[in-house]
Amino acid sequence: MDSIPANRRFWNQFSSAYQHQHDPQIGAAPRLWGTYAVPDAHLRALGDVTGKRVLELGCGAGQWSRALAAEGAAVVGIDLSEAQLAAATRAMGAARYPLVQGAAEHLPFAADSFDLVFCDYGGLSWAPPHLAVPQAARVLRRGGRLVFNVASPWFEACYDEAAGHATTTLQQDYFGLDAIAEDDGVTSYQLTYGDWVRVLRGAGLVIDDLIEPRPDPGTANGYNRTDPPDWAHRWPAETLWVTHKP
Ligand SMILES: C[S@@+](CC[C@H](N)C(=O)[O-])C[C@H]1O[C@@H](n2cnc3c(N)ncnc32)[C@H](O)[C@@H]1O
Protein backbone atom coordinates (compact mmCIF):
# COMPACT_ATOMS: atom_id res chain seq x y z
CA MET A 1 0.00 0.00 0.00
CA ASP A 2 1.33 3.47 -0.87
CA SER A 3 0.37 5.77 2.01
CA ILE A 4 2.46 8.70 0.73
CA PRO A 5 -0.23 10.71 -1.14
CA ALA A 6 -2.84 10.53 1.64
CA ASN A 7 -0.29 11.22 4.38
CA ARG A 8 1.10 14.19 2.49
CA ARG A 9 -2.41 15.57 1.97
CA PHE A 10 -3.23 15.04 5.64
CA TRP A 11 -0.10 16.78 6.95
CA ASN A 12 -0.56 19.68 4.54
CA GLN A 13 -4.11 20.20 5.80
CA PHE A 14 -3.27 19.58 9.45
CA SER A 15 0.04 21.47 9.69
CA SER A 16 -1.26 24.84 10.79
CA ALA A 17 -3.57 23.48 13.51
CA TYR A 18 -0.91 20.98 14.60
CA GLN A 19 1.77 23.62 15.03
CA HIS A 20 -0.65 25.95 16.79
CA GLN A 21 -1.50 23.20 19.27
CA HIS A 22 1.85 21.44 19.71
CA ASP A 23 4.73 23.77 18.84
CA PRO A 24 4.67 25.40 22.31
CA GLN A 25 5.44 21.98 23.82
CA ILE A 26 7.76 20.55 21.15
CA GLY A 27 9.73 23.77 20.81
CA ALA A 28 9.75 24.76 24.49
CA ALA A 29 13.38 23.70 24.87
CA PRO A 30 15.96 21.85 22.76
CA ARG A 31 15.93 18.04 22.56
CA LEU A 32 12.56 17.05 24.04
CA TRP A 33 11.40 13.53 23.21
CA GLY A 34 7.85 12.50 22.51
CA THR A 35 4.41 13.30 23.76
CA TYR A 36 5.66 13.88 27.33
CA ALA A 37 8.58 16.11 26.28
CA VAL A 38 11.14 14.05 28.18
CA PRO A 39 14.54 15.79 27.96
CA ASP A 40 17.26 13.98 26.05
CA ALA A 41 19.57 15.10 28.86
CA HIS A 42 17.78 12.46 31.01
CA LEU A 43 17.62 9.73 28.37
CA ARG A 44 21.00 10.30 26.67
CA ALA A 45 19.77 8.81 23.40
CA LEU A 46 21.32 11.17 20.88
CA GLY A 47 24.75 12.08 22.24
CA ASP A 48 27.04 14.84 21.03
CA VAL A 49 26.21 15.96 17.50
CA THR A 50 28.83 18.67 17.07
CA GLY A 51 30.26 18.45 13.57
CA LYS A 52 28.12 15.42 12.71
CA ARG A 53 26.08 15.02 9.54
CA VAL A 54 22.54 14.53 10.81
CA LEU A 55 19.29 13.68 9.00
CA GLU A 56 15.93 14.26 10.71
CA LEU A 57 13.45 11.93 9.06
CA GLY A 58 10.05 13.65 9.04
CA CYS A 59 11.27 16.85 10.63
CA GLY A 60 7.92 18.66 10.77
CA ALA A 61 8.49 22.28 11.78
CA GLY A 62 12.09 21.44 12.64
CA GLN A 63 12.04 21.95 16.40
CA TRP A 64 14.66 19.21 16.77
CA SER A 65 16.64 20.12 13.64
CA ARG A 66 17.10 23.75 14.54
CA ALA A 67 18.26 22.81 18.05
CA LEU A 68 20.88 20.40 16.68
CA ALA A 69 21.98 22.91 14.02
CA ALA A 70 22.52 25.43 16.80
CA GLU A 71 24.70 22.84 18.57
CA GLY A 72 26.96 22.67 15.51
CA ALA A 73 25.56 19.67 13.62
CA ALA A 74 25.29 19.72 9.83
CA VAL A 75 21.57 18.95 9.83
CA VAL A 76 19.28 18.14 6.92
CA GLY A 77 15.54 17.98 7.56
CA ILE A 78 13.37 15.91 5.24
CA ASP A 79 9.59 15.87 5.33
CA LEU A 80 6.76 14.80 3.07
CA SER A 81 4.64 17.88 3.62
CA GLU A 82 5.34 21.24 2.05
CA ALA A 83 3.20 22.92 4.72
CA GLN A 84 5.32 21.40 7.47
CA LEU A 85 8.50 22.42 5.63
CA ALA A 86 7.15 25.96 5.30
CA ALA A 87 6.60 25.99 9.08
CA ALA A 88 10.20 24.81 9.54
CA THR A 89 11.45 27.59 7.26
CA ARG A 90 9.51 30.22 9.20
CA ALA A 91 10.85 28.93 12.51
CA MET A 92 14.46 28.62 11.40
CA GLY A 93 16.76 30.63 13.60
CA ALA A 94 20.25 31.91 13.02
CA ALA A 95 21.63 28.39 12.53
CA ARG A 96 20.37 27.69 9.00
CA TYR A 97 20.01 24.13 7.72
CA PRO A 98 18.70 22.64 4.46
CA LEU A 99 15.19 21.27 4.12
CA VAL A 100 14.23 18.65 1.55
CA GLN A 101 10.77 17.50 0.50
CA GLY A 102 10.65 13.73 0.24
CA ALA A 103 9.51 10.48 1.75
CA ALA A 104 11.20 8.21 4.26
CA GLU A 105 10.32 5.35 1.88
CA HIS A 106 12.62 6.73 -0.89
CA LEU A 107 15.38 8.85 0.60
CA PRO A 108 16.97 11.10 -2.05
CA PHE A 109 20.48 10.84 -0.57
CA ALA A 110 23.56 8.85 -1.50
CA ALA A 111 24.70 5.90 0.60
CA ASP A 112 26.94 6.74 3.58
CA SER A 113 25.80 10.37 3.72
CA PHE A 114 25.02 10.72 7.45
CA ASP A 115 26.51 10.04 10.89
CA LEU A 116 23.10 10.11 12.55
CA VAL A 117 19.57 9.56 11.26
CA PHE A 118 16.86 10.20 13.82
CA CYS A 119 13.23 11.12 14.33
CA ASP A 120 10.69 11.70 17.04
CA TYR A 121 7.29 10.40 15.84
CA GLY A 122 8.57 11.25 12.34
CA GLY A 123 9.12 9.12 9.25
CA LEU A 124 9.26 5.85 11.18
CA SER A 125 5.76 6.43 12.55
CA TRP A 126 4.28 7.41 9.20
CA ALA A 127 6.08 5.24 6.63
CA PRO A 128 6.13 1.43 6.45
CA PRO A 129 9.14 0.45 8.60
CA HIS A 130 10.10 -2.39 6.25
CA LEU A 131 10.75 0.32 3.62
CA ALA A 132 11.93 3.24 5.76
CA VAL A 133 14.40 1.38 8.01
CA PRO A 134 16.50 -0.04 5.12
CA GLN A 135 16.53 3.43 3.57
CA ALA A 136 17.79 4.97 6.81
CA ALA A 137 20.42 2.24 7.08
CA ARG A 138 21.54 2.81 3.50
CA VAL A 139 22.23 6.54 3.98
CA LEU A 140 24.14 5.96 7.24
CA ARG A 141 27.92 5.59 7.19
CA ARG A 142 29.43 2.58 8.95
CA GLY A 143 29.37 3.35 12.67
CA GLY A 144 26.53 5.82 12.12
CA ARG A 145 23.43 5.65 14.31
CA LEU A 146 19.68 5.39 13.74
CA VAL A 147 17.77 6.66 16.78
CA PHE A 148 14.00 7.05 16.78
CA ASN A 149 11.02 7.39 19.10
CA VAL A 150 7.64 5.81 18.34
CA ALA A 151 4.52 4.90 20.31
CA SER A 152 4.89 1.65 22.21
CA PRO A 153 2.91 -1.49 21.33
CA TRP A 154 1.56 -1.31 24.91
CA PHE A 155 0.05 2.10 24.24
CA GLU A 156 -1.44 1.00 20.92
CA ALA A 157 -2.92 -2.18 22.37
CA CYS A 158 -4.48 -0.33 25.32
CA TYR A 159 -5.80 2.65 23.35
CA ASP A 160 -9.59 2.83 23.20
CA GLU A 161 -10.41 4.54 19.91
CA ALA A 162 -14.06 5.14 20.76
CA ALA A 163 -13.31 6.67 24.15
CA GLY A 164 -10.25 8.51 22.80
CA HIS A 165 -7.83 7.59 25.55
CA ALA A 166 -5.38 4.94 26.71
CA THR A 167 -6.85 2.50 29.20
CA THR A 168 -5.70 -0.27 31.51
CA THR A 169 -7.34 -3.00 29.45
CA LEU A 170 -6.37 -4.52 26.15
CA GLN A 171 -8.43 -2.92 23.40
CA GLN A 172 -6.87 -4.35 20.28
CA ASP A 173 -4.76 -7.25 19.17
CA TYR A 174 -1.02 -7.05 19.66
CA PHE A 175 -0.24 -9.55 16.91
CA GLY A 176 -1.00 -7.95 13.59
CA LEU A 177 0.09 -4.45 14.57
CA ASP A 178 1.28 -2.88 11.33
CA ALA A 179 -0.55 -0.26 9.26
CA ILE A 180 -3.08 1.66 11.35
CA ALA A 181 -5.81 3.43 9.38
CA GLU A 182 -6.59 6.69 11.12
CA ASP A 183 -9.09 9.46 10.38
CA ASP A 184 -8.96 11.34 7.07
CA GLY A 185 -7.40 8.38 5.21
CA VAL A 186 -4.07 8.86 6.95
CA THR A 187 -2.01 5.78 7.87
CA SER A 188 0.44 5.40 10.71
CA TYR A 189 2.60 2.37 11.38
CA GLN A 190 3.30 0.37 14.50
CA LEU A 191 5.09 -2.94 14.91
CA THR A 192 5.33 -5.56 17.62
CA TYR A 193 8.61 -5.63 19.50
CA GLY A 194 9.64 -8.76 17.60
CA ASP A 195 8.86 -7.19 14.23
CA TRP A 196 10.88 -4.06 15.10
CA VAL A 197 13.85 -6.28 16.04
CA ARG A 198 13.56 -8.21 12.78
CA VAL A 199 13.20 -5.08 10.62
CA LEU A 200 16.18 -3.38 12.29
CA ARG A 201 18.41 -6.46 12.19
CA GLY A 202 17.25 -7.24 8.65
CA ALA A 203 18.55 -3.82 7.57
CA GLY A 204 21.94 -4.69 9.05
CA LEU A 205 21.60 -2.54 12.16
CA VAL A 206 22.77 -3.44 15.66
CA ILE A 207 20.36 -2.63 18.49
CA ASP A 208 22.25 -0.83 21.27
CA ASP A 209 19.37 0.12 23.52
CA LEU A 210 15.61 0.27 23.81
CA ILE A 211 14.85 3.23 26.03
CA GLU A 212 11.38 3.41 27.55
CA PRO A 213 10.90 7.03 28.61
CA ARG A 214 9.19 7.21 32.00
CA PRO A 215 7.66 10.61 32.67
CA ASP A 216 7.14 11.66 36.27
CA PRO A 217 3.52 11.52 37.48
CA GLY A 218 1.82 14.78 36.59
CA THR A 219 3.86 15.34 33.43
CA ALA A 220 1.53 16.78 30.81
CA ASN A 221 0.92 14.90 27.57
CA GLY A 222 -0.01 17.40 24.90
CA TYR A 223 -1.36 14.73 22.53
CA ASN A 224 -3.24 11.90 24.18
CA ARG A 225 -5.47 11.44 27.19
CA THR A 226 -4.84 8.49 29.45
CA ASP A 227 -6.87 6.86 32.19
CA PRO A 228 -5.34 6.85 34.76
CA PRO A 229 -3.51 10.17 34.22
CA ASP A 230 -0.20 8.63 35.32
CA TRP A 231 -0.51 5.79 32.78
CA ALA A 232 2.91 6.49 31.21
CA HIS A 233 4.60 6.46 34.61
CA ARG A 234 3.29 2.95 35.15
CA TRP A 235 3.56 1.47 31.64
CA PRO A 236 5.78 2.38 28.69
CA ALA A 237 3.93 4.70 26.32
CA GLU A 238 6.87 5.16 23.97
CA THR A 239 9.86 3.20 22.68
CA LEU A 240 13.09 4.96 21.82
CA TRP A 241 15.28 2.68 19.72
CA VAL A 242 19.03 3.28 19.65
CA THR A 243 20.87 1.42 16.89
CA HIS A 244 24.02 1.64 14.80
CA LYS A 245 25.31 0.39 11.48
CA PRO A 246 28.36 -1.83 12.10
C1 LIG B 1 4.44 14.19 14.35
S1 LIG B 1 5.37 14.99 13.10
C2 LIG B 1 7.04 14.70 13.61
C3 LIG B 1 7.85 15.96 13.62
C4 LIG B 1 8.15 16.48 15.00
N1 LIG B 1 9.07 15.63 15.71
C5 LIG B 1 6.86 16.63 15.77
O1 LIG B 1 6.67 15.91 16.75
O2 LIG B 1 6.04 17.45 15.37
C6 LIG B 1 5.25 13.84 11.76
C7 LIG B 1 5.92 14.37 10.49
O3 LIG B 1 6.17 13.27 9.62
C8 LIG B 1 5.96 13.73 8.30
N2 LIG B 1 5.75 12.56 7.44
C9 LIG B 1 4.62 11.82 7.30
N3 LIG B 1 4.83 10.81 6.46
C10 LIG B 1 6.12 10.91 6.06
C11 LIG B 1 6.94 10.15 5.18
N4 LIG B 1 6.45 9.07 4.54
N5 LIG B 1 8.22 10.54 4.98
C12 LIG B 1 8.71 11.63 5.61
N6 LIG B 1 7.98 12.39 6.46
C13 LIG B 1 6.71 12.03 6.69
C14 LIG B 1 4.76 14.63 8.42
O4 LIG B 1 4.63 15.49 7.32
C15 LIG B 1 5.04 15.34 9.73
O5 LIG B 1 5.71 16.55 9.53
Side-chain angles (χ1 to χ4, degrees), residues 4 7-8 11 18-19 26 56-61 63-64 78-81 84 102-105 119-123 126-127 223:
I4 292 175
N7 283 7
R8 179 177 166 207
W11 280 100
Y18 178 85
Q19 295 305 334
I26 312 169
E56 183 174 7
L57 207 53
C59 61
Q63 293 90 351
W64 270 96
I78 186 167
D79 201 283
L80 195 55
S81 154
Q84 291 281 77
E105 292 92 327
C119 59
D120 188 11
Y121 282 92
W126 300 95
Y223 292 78

Side-chain angles (χ1 to χ4, degrees), residues 197-228:
V197 168
R198 280 180 285 279
V199 166
L200 291 164
R201 286 171 52 93
L205 298 169
V206 173
I207 297 167
D208 298 311
D209 203 352
L210 171 53
I211 300 172
E212 297 170 299
R214 189 182 189 200
D216 292 332
T219 306
N221 178 328
Y223 292 78
N224 302 297
R225 288 187 300 122
T226 64
D227 181 14

Side-chain angles (χ1 to χ4, degrees), residues 41-227:
H42 298 172
L43 303 176
R44 300 180 179 281
L46 227 49
D48 182 14
V49 297
T50 315
K52 299 235 167 82
R53 298 166 300 166
V54 176
L55 176 65
E56 183 174 7
L57 207 53
C59 61
Q63 293 90 351
W64 270 96
S65 283
R66 70 170 182 258
L68 300 191
E71 291 176 32
V75 183
V76 177
I78 186 167
D79 201 283
L80 195 55
S81 154
E82 54 268 36
Q84 291 281 77
L85 291 169
T89 303
R90 286 194 297 274
M92 211 177 269
R96 315 292 294 176
Y97 62 93
L99 293 165
V100 175
Q101 186 170 20
E105 292 92 327
H106 317 283
L107 290 180
F109 306 107
D112 309 323
S113 297
F114 296 99
D115 304 303
L116 170 68
V117 176
F118 84 101
C119 59
D120 188 11
Y121 282 92
L124 291 172
S125 298
W126 300 95
H130 73 277
L131 299 178
V133 169
Q135 284 288 301
R138 180 183 64 77
V139 303
L140 277 175
R141 68 158 170 85
R142 291 200 176 282
R145 304 164 75 221
L146 172 64
V147 179
F148 62 97
N149 189 34
V150 295
S152 78
W154 286 72
F155 194 84
E156 293 291 350
C158 293
Y159 195 81
D160 183 336
E161 286 291 342
H165 59 73
T167 69
T168 54
T169 52
L170 295 171
Q171 304 290 331
Q172 34 219 331
D173 291 355
Y174 171 81
F175 293 113
L177 278 177
D178 184 16
I180 300 175
E182 304 199 16
D183 294 342
D184 303 315
V186 71
T187 305
S188 66
Y189 294 86
Q190 178 57 275
L191 302 184
T192 65
Y193 289 103
D195 283 345
W196 273 120
V197 168
R198 280 180 285 279
V199 166
L200 291 164
R201 286 171 52 93
L205 298 169
V206 173
I207 297 167
D208 298 311
D209 203 352
L210 171 53
I211 300 172
E212 297 170 299
R214 189 182 189 200
D216 292 332
T219 306
N221 178 328
Y223 292 78
N224 302 297
R225 288 187 300 122
T226 64
D227 181 14

